[in-house]
Amino acid sequence: MHKFSIAIHGGAGTILKQDMTPELEKAYLTGLEDALAAGYAVLEEGGSAVNAVKASIVVLEDNLLFNAGRGSVFTKKGVQEMDAAIMDGKDLSAGSVAGIRNVRNPIELATEVMLNSNHVFLSGKGANDFAIKQGVKLEPDEYFFSQFRYDQWKEIRDSDNYSLDHTHMGVEELMKDKKFGTVGAVACDVDGNIAAATSTGGMTNKKYGRIGDSPLIGAGTYANNNTCAISCTGHGEPFICAVAAHDVNCLMEYKGMTLQQAMNEVVNIKLVKMEGEGGMIGVDAQGNAAMIFNSAGMYRGMKNSTGEKIIGIYKD
Ligand code: ASP
């Protein structure tokens, strides 16, 4: 039997133990545990990597603590616009959505795009129209509301600042107010197929229809059975310019690096030079998994069929 594995993240950034209450820490760890279990159960039953990453992401999107689906951050206009992507490493098929509203699970819509549209990337109203056509579950604005994200947005809505939901650029108080989010999952199934998925509300106070790296195939999300499946989190702009996820693929394909070496090169060398704070999770088709970040912390977890399991938040 082929070794199978799954890794997940719930966002990376200035996550420090001293800023966390024991209750909040427990809630995050439970959220990660639940998401990991959902994806792993799919793999254990012989399900596909695509279905496993989807299952994990749905659990994280439904959890108010994470900045994806329910609990997404607010835009400059005070609404929630979400982005998501999924990619199947078996045939390089992919589906992405950006700037969507009221879709309960953006990853479901991205999967619909991958499987049932002739396209890869849909945005805004058109993507919402497609959601209605495909019968993807919608929810009213109130469903997505969370007081802490709202308060976070209120702090900066009158400024030109925008912030990761964890690392703020501009307002001191928010530096102390660590709220984290974007979610991702990568998996290798029993057949040695791999997949990646990412879902996010993006950055607090984003405007002009700003889209980050998460839904961009090659930047925040990428999967190819020959190399790796990667999901990124962090400051989207440098991740886009670094074409971060695909860069890991290239280092493996053209330079023969291992997954760990390639991820380390991109996260700790290339992105650091570009001031790209964040991290990524990855798997290869042999079932190896890695979780690497250059920020203070990253909500993360991995589990494989040889009995290894890690759940972590901080650097050490
Ligand atoms: N990368 C996401 C974005 O820029 C944010 C995050 O990972 O927290 O939209």
Side-chain angles (χ1 to χ4, degrees), residues 3 41 60 165 210 236 303:
K3 173 174 158 188
L60 293 164
D165 57 332
R210 180 264 181 193
K303 188 172 177 180

PDB file of all heavy atoms in Angstrom, residues 3 41 60 165 210 236 303:
ATOM      1  N   LYS A   3       2.155   4.883   0.872  1.00  0.00           N
ATOM      2  CA  LYS A   3       2.059   5.757   2.058  1.00  0.00           C
ATOM      3  C   LYS A   3       1.177   6.964   1.744  1.00  0.00           C
ATOM      4  O   LYS A   3       1.369   7.610   0.718  1.00  0.00           O
ATOM      5  CB  LYS A   3       3.471   6.219   2.414  1.00  0.00           C
ATOM      6  CG  LYS A   3       3.549   7.266   3.526  1.00  0.00           C
ATOM      7  CD  LYS A   3       5.025   7.506   3.853  1.00  0.00           C
ATOM      8  CE  LYS A   3       5.277   8.831   4.506  1.00  0.00           C
ATOM      9  NZ  LYS A   3       6.709   9.119   4.642  1.00  0.00           N
ATOM     10  N   ALA A  41      -9.511  10.946   7.307  1.00  0.00           N
ATOM     11  CA  ALA A  41     -10.547   9.897   7.214  1.00  0.00           C
ATOM     12  C   ALA A  41     -10.835   9.555   5.756  1.00  0.00           C
ATOM     13  O   ALA A  41     -11.027   8.381   5.405  1.00  0.00           O
ATOM     14  CB  ALA A  41     -11.820  10.363   7.918  1.00  0.00           C
ATOM     15  N   LEU A  60     -12.400  23.818   8.091  1.00  0.00           N
ATOM     16  CA  LEU A  60     -11.751  25.086   8.459  1.00  0.00           C
ATOM     17  C   LEU A  60     -12.586  26.293   8.031  1.00  0.00           C
ATOM     18  O   LEU A  60     -12.672  27.290   8.748  1.00  0.00           O
ATOM     19  CB  LEU A  60     -10.349  25.156   7.836  1.00  0.00           C
ATOM     20  CG  LEU A  60      -9.340  24.141   8.398  1.00  0.00           C
ATOM     21  CD1 LEU A  60      -8.138  24.000   7.478  1.00  0.00           C
ATOM     22  CD2 LEU A  60      -8.898  24.545   9.804  1.00  0.00           C
ATOM     23  N   ASP A 165      -4.660  39.124   8.380  1.00  0.00           N
ATOM     24  CA  ASP A 165      -5.468  39.063   9.580  1.00  0.00           C
ATOM     25  C   ASP A 165      -4.604  38.759  10.793  1.00  0.00           C
ATOM     26  O   ASP A 165      -5.066  38.691  11.892  1.00  0.00           O
ATOM     27  CB  ASP A 165      -6.612  38.048   9.448  1.00  0.00           C
ATOM     28  CG  ASP A 165      -6.104  36.685   9.122  1.00  0.00           C
ATOM     29  OD1 ASP A 165      -5.041  36.607   8.503  1.00  0.00           O
ATOM     30  OD2 ASP A 165      -6.774  35.716   9.484  1.00  0.00           O
ATOM     31  N   ARG A 210      -9.059  43.767  -4.608  1.00  0.00           N
ATOM     32  CA  ARG A 210      -7.746  43.125  -4.416  1.00  0.00           C
ATOM     33  C   ARG A 210      -7.873  41.591  -4.267  1.00  0.00           C
ATOM     34  O   ARG A 210      -8.704  41.087  -3.545  1.00  0.00           O
ATOM     35  CB  ARG A 210      -7.085  43.723  -3.171  1.00  0.00           C
ATOM     36  CG  ARG A 210      -5.694  43.156  -2.833  1.00  0.00           C
ATOM     37  CD  ARG A 210      -5.770  42.045  -1.814  1.00  0.00           C
ATOM     38  NE  ARG A 210      -4.429  41.534  -1.480  1.00  0.00           N
ATOM     39  CZ  ARG A 210      -4.220  40.412  -0.812  1.00  0.00           C
ATOM     40  NH1 ARG A 210      -5.236  39.676  -0.416  1.00  0.00           N
ATOM     41  NH2 ARG A 210      -2.997  40.008  -0.554  1.00  0.00           N
ATOM     42  N   GLY A 236       0.207  38.077   0.509  1.00  0.00           N
ATOM     43  CA  GLY A 236      -0.027  37.577  -0.840  1.00  0.00           C
ATOM     44  C   GLY A 236       0.794  38.206  -1.945  1.00  0.00           C
ATOM     45  O   GLY A 236       1.217  37.508  -2.883  1.00  0.00           O
ATOM     46  N   LYS A 303      -0.451  14.507   9.199  1.00  0.00           N
ATOM     47  CA  LYS A 303      -0.624  13.134   9.664  1.00  0.00           C
ATOM     48  C   LYS A 303      -0.378  12.207   8.481  1.00  0.00           C
ATOM     49  O   LYS A 303      -0.789  12.524   7.355  1.00  0.00           O
ATOM     50  CB  LYS A 303      -2.058  12.967  10.177  1.00  0.00           C
ATOM     51  CG  LYS A 303      -2.312  11.650  10.862  1.00  0.00           C
ATOM     52  CD  LYS A 303      -3.680  11.607  11.513  1.00  0.00           C
ATOM     53  CE  LYS A 303      -3.877  10.226  12.117  1.00  0.00           C
ATOM     54  NZ  LYS A 303      -5.140  10.061  12.769  1.00  0.00           N
TER      55      LYS A 303
END
